[in-house]
Amino acid sequence: MVRKSQSHFSLEPYGSNLEDSQSGIITTLANKNEDLHNFMETLSHSLAGVQVNSTQVVSDLEEEFDRLFTILVEMKESMINTIKQEGAKKTQEIQNQLTQSSDALESAEELLEFANNALDVQDEDEFTKVEAAGLVTMASAFRLTMKPKVTDNMNHLMVDFTQERQLLQNLKFLPVPWAPEMEVGDCLVLDNTVSVAWKMPVEDSKIDHYILEYRKTDHEGLPRIKDQRCWEVVDNIKTTEYSLSGLKFDSKFMNFRVRACNKAAAGEYSDPVTLETRAFNFGFDSSSSHLNLKVEDRTVEWDPQGGKGLESKVKGKENKGSAHFTNLKNMSRSGTPSPKRTLTTRSPAIRGSRDRFTGESYTVLGDTSMDCGQHYWEVKALKDCKSYSVGVSYRNLGKFDQLGKTNTTWCIHINNWLQSSFAAKHNNKAKSLDGTAPGRIGVFCDLDSGQLSFYNAETKQLIHTFKAKFSQPVVPAFMVWCGGLSLSTGMQVPSAVKSFQKDENGLAGSNSSLNSMAQ
């Protein structure tokens, strides 16, 4: 019994190790199985591509030969016309000379006859008249040039096709450019811009341009045939580097490949390179949004008609409190109740959901929480926005709570209604901020160091920094009244913000009265 017991206890770690080993083997085999499937899909795609491309190349070759034949036929017709025109020109010149010579011969024969007749004239005066007449008659004959203006030689229009025949006989497939090599060490991902660089394995002076292709993916490593996103193309790149700017990083990685082209052919693609483009992506959580807020894609706008159901739901309770009745009348009249007024009673029946904000907490949260790391996003106020707040909050924010008035919310608040104000708010304390609020605000949340900073998104100038030890995950939070906000996500932390936080240790612009230890 003792031996069995000892054997039993000694097998437990062995069994545990065996299970771990088997689990590791299964995981490895599963990964290999997935890789093989991906490789087979690549081969199948390549096989289909060979068939399609072979047909296309034959068609292109036939088209090139047809063009060559067309050029030869056109040149033949052109050269034949030239020969015919030259022959016609020479024929006309010779015929003109024949006509002139015929006229001169006729005049000479008349003069000869005239001269024979002049031999019989005895009177000197009469002979002088005959001599003068003869000279006039012979004038055309003596002016005639006795040399052909043209020859019958047409050798100047002969063509020597020796060189052309040799070129045609040496006609071969054009050398295809080598596949470029991606310079991974020179590729850079910074400020939502990706810069890629490559080189040719051998120098090729006939390269005319390069074609860069890229696509977003959530798979690390080689591109997959059945990836949801298609390759996007940047053509006619003249250098061996290129930068894609203004990107939204809504995927974990991006694949890049490049090919070289000469005047007639494109080479093979380079081996693809995968670069990490991870960034913080989130949207508005419409289920948390106040009824007076309209959430669409990346915008949230105040909608005074969104809470119309509130009036009808509590209409039967108007006589229960004069203050409540007065507030409802003001809401019905203006459609835009002041965010400073508070309803004394609220009907839970019209919340829409248990977590929906109500009352005068015109709030909507982000749909993605943060528990570690550094995150950045930007918010732009739409035209004529009267009042709004931008910040972060714990997820358990009460549905009646307003941003900056609890110890679980941090924000900056901009009020353009009646009297303008620009302040940082937390735990129902406010600190007025210098200057005017920028049109676009950058929010930097560093949960690892416990800092929340706000920047002018255009100049990257620090506006304010909170220092807090966040004890729970936080979510982006927004308040809007009479206006709207536009959200930009999928952004890396800007290098200027990183540099500033590093140099200033994230404390510049903070206020000790607002810095707090999160509870």
Side-chain angles (χ1 to χ4, degrees):
M1 293 294 293
V2 174
R3 292 174 185 168
K4 290 183 179 179
S5 176
Q6 290 175 346
S7 175
H8 171 73
F9 284 108
S10 64
L11 282 175
E12 281 189 350
Y14 174 79
S16 176
N17 292 335
L18 180 60
E19 290 177 358
D20 292 342
S21 177
Q22 289 176 338
S23 176
I25 293 174
I26 291 173
T27 301
T28 301
L29 290 175
N31 292 336
K32 179 58 67 175
N33 186 50
E34 185 179 2
D35 291 341
L36 286 173
H37 275 293
N38 187 43
F39 182 61
M40 290 177 65
E41 290 174 359
T42 302
L43 292 177
S44 299
H45 182 76
S46 298
L47 179 61
V50 168
Q51 296 171 349
V52 172
N53 292 336
S54 296
T55 302
Q56 183 62 46
V57 168
V58 170
S59 176
D60 292 343
L61 184 63
E62 290 177 344
E63 185 176 345
E64 288 295 333
F65 270 99
D66 288 342
R67 290 176 181 173
L68 183 59
F69 294 153
T70 300
I71 292 174
L72 289 173
V73 170
E74 290 176 351
M75 290 187 65
K76 176 183 176 182
E77 292 178 353
S78 176
M79 297 177 82
I80 289 175
N81 287 335
T82 300
I83 293 173
K84 289 181 177 180
Q85 291 174 4
E86 183 70 9
K89 179 181 178 181
K90 285 194 171 188
T91 299
Q92 185 63 41
E93 289 287 350
I94 293 173
Q95 287 180 346
N96 290 339
Q97 279 195 295
L98 280 174
T99 301
Q100 293 173 1
S101 298
S102 177
D103 293 341
L105 179 59
E106 183 179 351
S107 298
E109 289 177 348
E110 291 179 356
L111 180 60
L112 180 60
E113 181 180 358
F114 187 80
N116 289 329
N117 294 331
L119 293 175
D120 297 334
V121 177
Q122 299 298 322
D123 183 59
E124 184 176 352
D125 292 337
E126 189 68 23
F127 182 82
T128 301
K129 295 178 180 179
V130 171
E131 183 181 15
L135 292 173
V136 173
T137 304
M138 287 188 64
S140 61
F142 283 101
R143 287 197 302 268
L144 182 67
T145 300
M146 303 297 289
K147 181 180 179 180
K149 291 184 177 181
V150 296
T151 67
D152 59 353
N153 192 339
M154 299 287 287
N155 289 339
H156 63 289
L157 295 178
M158 295 295 291
V159 178
D160 182 9
F161 285 111
T162 301
Q163 185 176 357
E164 284 73 14
R165 279 196 298 268
Q166 186 176 0
L167 288 174
L168 290 174
Q169 290 169 353
N170 292 333
L171 185 62
K172 298 177 181 179
F173 292 107
L174 284 172
V176 178
W178 288 72
E181 297 176 353
M182 299 295 291
E183 297 274 43
V184 180
D186 293 333
C187 295
L188 182 64
V189 181
L190 187 67
D191 295 333
N192 284 76
T193 296
V194 179
S195 299
V196 292
W198 58 90
K199 67 177 182 179
M200 295 301 298
V202 294
E203 186 175 351
D204 188 346
S205 61
K206 294 186 177 180
I207 291 177
D208 178 70
H209 65 278
Y210 298 92
I211 298 175
L212 176 68
E213 294 190 353
Y214 66 95
R215 69 177 174 185
K216 299 177 179 179
T217 179
D218 289 322
H219 300 290
E220 186 175 8
L222 296 176
R224 301 181 176 220
I225 297 300
K226 292 185 177 180
D227 207 311
Q228 294 180 350
R229 294 169 173 145
C230 297
W231 290 99
E232 297 187 56
V233 180
V234 181
D235 201 352
N236 201 34
I237 301 174
K238 297 297 184 178
T239 61
T240 56
E241 59 184 8
Y242 192 81
S243 294
L244 294 166
S245 59
L247 297 172
K248 179 179 181 179
F249 287 167
D250 52 2
S251 66
K252 296 180 181 178
F253 306 95
M254 288 182 69
N255 302 135
F256 293 87
R257 64 185 186 182
V258 67
R259 65 198 305 193
C261 305
N262 55 32
K263 290 293 185 181
E268 293 294 328
Y269 288 105
S270 65
D271 290 335
V273 61
T274 300
L275 303 179
E276 185 174 2
T277 56
R278 195 185 305 273
F280 184 45
N281 281 276
F282 70 93
F284 294 113
D285 181 7
S286 58
S287 66
S288 72
S289 173
H290 190 285
L291 287 173
N292 282 115
L293 299 183
K294 180 180 180 182
V295 175
E296 288 186 357
D297 192 25
R298 297 290 172 175
T299 61
V300 55
E301 294 187 70
W302 166 264
D303 180 10
Q305 303 300 317
K308 284 182 66 177
L310 176 61
E311 182 179 355
S312 60
K313 290 287 183 180
V314 299
K315 198 168 186 179
K317 303 180 181 180
E318 290 178 349
N319 295 326
K320 290 187 177 181
S322 59
H324 177 66
F325 176 73
T326 302
N327 279 326
L328 284 178
K329 287 183 65 178
N330 290 336
M331 181 187 296
S332 176
R333 185 184 304 115
S334 66
T336 55
S338 168
K340 296 182 180 179
R341 292 197 296 268
T342 303
L343 297 175
T344 56
T345 60
R346 300 174 177 86
S347 173
I350 52 81
R351 291 181 298 172
S353 70
R354 189 170 64 88
D355 299 325
R356 183 182 289 279
F357 291 100
T358 188
E360 292 187 356
S361 179
Y362 305 113
T363 304
V364 60
L365 301 179
D367 60 8
T368 305
S369 62
M370 303 166 283
D371 57 4
C372 63
Q374 296 180 337
H375 309 275
Y376 181 84
W377 62 96
E378 293 182 355
V379 181
K380 179 181 179 181
L382 301 181
K383 186 178 181 181
D384 297 329
C385 189
K386 301 298 183 185
S387 179
Y388 63 96
S389 298
V390 178
V392 299
S393 167
Y394 288 166
R395 175 66 77 177
N396 60 1
L397 181 66
K399 60 181 178 292
F400 298 112
D401 293 335
Q402 299 181 30
L403 297 185
K405 293 190 176 183
T406 70
N407 65 347
T408 62
T409 58
W410 299 258
C411 71
I412 57 173
H413 176 74
I414 296 90
N415 180 33
N416 297 317
W417 176 253
L418 298 179
Q419 185 175 0
S420 297
S421 63
F422 182 29
K425 291 186 175 182
H426 170 65
N427 201 19
N428 207 25
K429 297 178 182 179
K431 174 186 180 295
S432 296
L433 301 176
D434 296 332
T436 58
R440 194 177 186 91
I441 297 173
V443 184
F444 172 65
C445 186
D446 186 350
L447 288 104
D448 296 335
S449 63
Q451 295 180 20
L452 175 66
S453 299
F454 299 88
Y455 286 83
N456 182 323
E458 299 297 333
T459 65
K460 299 302 183 289
Q461 181 179 2
L462 180 66
I463 298 173
H464 185 79
T465 293
F466 291 102
K467 187 173 179 59
K469 184 181 292 184
F470 301 110
S471 62
Q472 300 178 31
V474 297
V475 293
F478 311 86
M479 186 282 291
V480 182
W481 178 73
C482 284
L485 299 176
S486 173
L487 178 64
S488 296
T489 65
M491 306 181 72
Q492 290 184 304
V493 179
S495 56
V497 171
K498 282 187 175 181
S499 177
F500 186 89
Q501 291 288 331
K502 182 178 180 180
D503 294 342
E504 301 295 328
N505 196 26
L507 296 178
S510 62
N511 185 301
S512 58
S513 66
L514 294 177
N515 292 341
S516 67
M517 304 299 287
Q519 302 298 321

